[in-house]
Amino acid sequence: MQSLAAYTRGICTYFEPDNRVLRVAALLHDIGHPPFSQTLDSLEGVDHHKWTREAVFSDEIVNILSQANIDAVEVMDYIDGSRRSILRNKEGTVHADHLDSWVRSAYIGGYLPISTGELLNDMNYRNGSLQFTPEGGKLVTELIWEEARMQVSTANIGINAMMRKLVRCLIINGDLDVTNLPNMTDMHIEQLLCNDGRSIREEYERLLMESWRIRLTREKPNVTAEKTILSKLYLAMPVIGRRFDCRNFARHPGDDQ
C-alpha cells in the first residue's frame, strides 16, 4: 500500500526525474485533505483546496522549500493546474493525480488485473500529456468507469451521507473544530464518534454493523432523512498513442497522436 500511496509522486519522478518542483508538488498536492477523502467536502467550512494552499504557503513549509531553493508559488502552480504538467491539467485528459485514485481504488477493490509496474510499461509522457498504449488505455478507461459506478452506487452514497451527518453532529455539539480537520486522520474521527454521547455512538455503531439498513430515494420521504448531492465524478479520457518503448521519451517527427 505504501507504494500505491506514493504512486502520483512516483509517476512524476519516473517521467520527470530532474524536475524538483514538480516532485514537491506531487508530494504536497493532497496535504489539505480532511479524513475520509472527499466524504466531508460538502460540510460547511470544509475546503481541501483552500487548506492545501494554506499549508503550502505556511511559514513551516515555505522555510523548508526555501532551503532547497524551491519557490512555493511554483509548487502551487503545479498543484492547482495553473502550470500544465503530468501532475494535473484542465483539459479533461488523464493526469497523474486522478490516475492514482483509479489505480488505488482498483487495488483496494481487488479488480486491478496487473501490477502498477506493468501499467507503467503501458504509459509514456509526451507533449505535456500522459499517453497510453491501446491496451493500457483500455484498462485505464475500465478503471475510470468502475470507480464512477462505485461512486454512484447505493452503498457508497448512503454510507458517505451518514458519515457526514455524524461528523456534522460532532461539529454542532462543539466536539470537533472544523479547522482542525486537515491535521486529523480517519482514526481521530472514529475515536471521537466512539467516545461521544450515547446517541451519536449508537448511530455510528449501526453504520458500522448495519449499513445494509440504509435506504436511498429520489423522492422526499415522510421521515427525517439526510439529503445528499453527488456533484462530481472523476471522468477523464486517456490519450492513446501508438505502441512505444517506455524507455524512450523523445518525440519523433510523424508520431501518431
Side-chain angles (χ1 to χ4, degrees), residues 1 5 7-8 15 21 35 41 80 94 103 125 140 142 159 161 179 184 191 216 223:
M1 286 303 298
Y7 199 52
T8 299
F15 289 113
V21 178
D41 277 1
D80 65 19
V94 170
V103 171
Y125 182 55
V140 170
E142 291 170 351
I159 290 174
T179 61
M184 301 177 72
Q191 285 299 314
L216 262 66
V223 296

Side-chain angles (χ1 to χ4, degrees), residues 6 104 109 161:
R104 183 173 61 250

Side-chain angles (χ1 to χ4, degrees), residues 25-200:
L27 180 66
L28 298 177
H29 76 283
D30 275 342
I31 194 172
H33 266 294
F36 299 105
S37 189
Q38 271 89 17
T39 298
L40 307 180
D41 277 1
S42 62
L43 291 178
E44 183 177 356
V46 174
D47 187 339
H48 74 267
H49 295 294
K50 174 186 175 184
W51 288 340
T52 294
R53 178 174 290 274
E54 290 176 349
V56 171
F57 289 115
S58 66
D59 290 341
E60 180 181 11
I61 290 183
V62 168
N63 289 335
I64 292 172
L65 295 179
S66 64
Q67 294 177 31
N69 295 318
I70 293 177
D71 186 350
V73 173
E74 294 182 8
V75 172
M76 197 64 225
D77 284 346
Y78 275 128
I79 291 175
D80 65 19
S82 297
R83 184 172 182 178
R84 188 177 186 278
S85 71
I86 192 173
L87 176 62
R88 186 181 293 278
N89 65 64
K90 299 180 179 181
E91 301 160 5
T93 59
V94 170
H95 51 70
D97 182 14
H98 289 173
L99 179 63
D100 171 82
S101 175
W102 299 317
V103 171
R104 183 173 61 250
S105 295
Y107 180 85
I108 294 173
Y111 57 88
L112 185 66
I114 62 175
S115 69
T116 54
E118 290 175 297
L119 178 58
L120 188 63
N121 288 333
D122 281 332
M123 298 164 51
N124 202 346
Y125 182 55
R126 295 182 179 179
N127 300 331
S129 298
L130 276 175
Q131 297 186 17
F132 298 83
T133 63
E135 295 84 357
K138 180 176 182 294
L139 171 59
V140 170
T141 301
E142 291 170 351
L143 299 185
I144 292 170
W145 285 115
E146 186 61 37
E147 178 163 292
R149 283 192 289 268
M150 180 276 293
Q151 289 176 335
V152 301
S153 68
T154 298
N156 185 65
I157 293 175
I159 290 174
N160 283 344
M162 297 311 298
M163 178 58 76
R164 279 192 298 273
K165 174 188 175 183
L166 292 173
V167 175
R168 186 186 300 113
C169 289
L170 291 176
I171 295 170
I172 293 173
N173 294 345
D175 298 319
L176 173 63
D177 185 340
V178 70
T179 61
N180 290 332
L181 282 173
N183 302 315
M184 301 177 72
T185 65
D186 294 3
M187 187 62 71
H188 289 138
I189 300 297
E190 291 169 347
Q191 285 299 314
L192 287 175
L193 293 172
C194 288
N195 296 330
D196 207 89
R198 180 176 177 180
S199 61
I200 291 181

